[in-house]
Each structure stands twice: as structure tokens, then as C-alpha cells.
Amino acid sequence: MSLASSLHSLSLSTPKTHFLHGSTPLSHVSKPSSPSQNPTFFAPPIRAMKKMQGRVVCSTNDKTVSVEVVRLDPHPKYKKLIRKKKKYQAHDPENQFKVGDMVQLERSRPISKTKCFLALPVPPRNRNKKEDNDNNELGVPLESEQAERA
């Protein structure tokens, strides 16, 4: 009976003093604040659109082209740049691209099991005017052009 009476005297309520080793009971620990108490602005992370350029390798499927993208990657041991190739399936709704065309792949929603890129034509590069004027820099015709005119 003495054991039962000693157990009965112990109360199972939360102690009002600190636990051993300096910790505090859970009732005294501050709860995480709700968003209404701390008006902090949460913005989703911004990810860049993934765009790649490659060459069309296969265009036999309807509305699909297979594009091979070549990139330079350092060798893990020797650090020499190595060409690495990877093929992607891209959506071509009008079947406008043929084998050998350069296309730009733009990330989109999944269109099928293997297609999540759209094939777009590569935008034209800005050509320098120096290239156009290389043969006639000063505006004076070449000797061969003068002989043809005479």
C-alpha cells in the first residue's frame, strides 16, 4: 500500500518549474507564429526559361522532331573540354523543320511522355556591316571588276 500511496501523491500535471538540465516544459515554449501575425511577403522562386539550340536529326514522325544538342563539358579528371551530345524530342506542329535545320528548343508543358520542348526557328544573327564591305572597303572597284566592265 505504501507504494500505491506514494504513486498517488505524484501528480501528472505539467510541472511549474524547469525540467532537469535547464529545459522548459512544452507549455512555455513559444509556438511558431502564424502568417497573420508576421506579414512577410512570400514570393515563389524565379527560374529561368530553359532554351537550347540544336540540329534536327530525325523528322519522320508527325508533329515531332528529334533534335541533337551539343554542349562542351570539362572532363572530370583531365579537365579538357569534351563535346557531349544529347537528343531531345520536340514538338513541331506544322512539320516545318527538316533534317539538318538549326532550331531553338524552348521548355513547355509536357506534350507527351518524351516531349516537353517546342521547336522554334533560330532567330537570325546580327551580321556586321564589315562583312558586307570586305571586298569593297574604300568604294573603289577592284581591278578584275574594272576589266569586266571595259
Side-chain angles (χ1 to χ4, degrees):
M1 274 311 232
S2 64
L3 181 63
S5 63
S6 64
L7 287 176
H8 184 65
S9 65
L10 292 174
S11 65
L12 297 177
S13 64
T14 57
K16 295 181 179 161
T17 61
H18 294 288
F19 287 120
L20 294 177
H21 308 295
S23 62
T24 59
L26 293 177
S27 61
H28 297 296
V29 175
S30 64
K31 296 178 182 173
S33 61
S34 65
S36 61
Q37 292 174 353
N38 284 342
T40 57
F41 178 73
F42 174 74
I46 298 172
R47 294 189 180 108
M49 283 293 288
K50 186 155 188 163
K51 292 184 182 181
M52 296 179 285
Q53 282 190 0
R55 188 172 302 276
V56 175
V57 179
C58 178
S59 63
T60 55
N61 300 332
D62 187 33
K63 298 184 180 180
T64 303
V65 290
S66 182
V67 180
E68 186 178 62
V69 176
V70 179
R71 63 184 177 91
L72 293 175
D73 196 33
H75 187 276
K77 183 176 182 181
Y78 301 113
K79 307 302 181 202
K80 179 182 176 182
L81 290 179
I82 299 173
R83 285 192 190 107
K84 293 202 174 184
K85 300 176 185 178
K86 186 167 181 184
K87 285 187 191 175
Y88 296 96
Q89 301 292 321
H91 188 60
D92 179 20
E94 290 119 25
N95 292 324
Q96 63 181 350
F97 299 113
K98 307 295 179 220
V99 175
D101 291 346
M102 288 296 290
V103 294
Q104 184 171 4
L105 299 179
E106 185 173 309
R107 191 103 179 173
S108 71
R109 62 177 178 81
I111 299 165
S112 71
K113 179 182 175 183
T114 57
K115 284 197 300 186
C116 59
F117 286 99
L118 288 174
L120 303 172
V122 175
R125 289 185 172 184
N126 294 334
R127 289 181 40 179
N128 293 339
K129 294 185 179 181
K130 289 182 180 179
E131 293 176 10
D132 296 337
N133 296 331
D134 276 347
N135 18 343
N136 199 358
E137 268 186 49
L138 301 175
V140 179
L142 299 173
E143 290 180 18
S144 59
E145 292 176 357
Q146 287 178 353
E148 290 174 2
R149 290 183 187 171

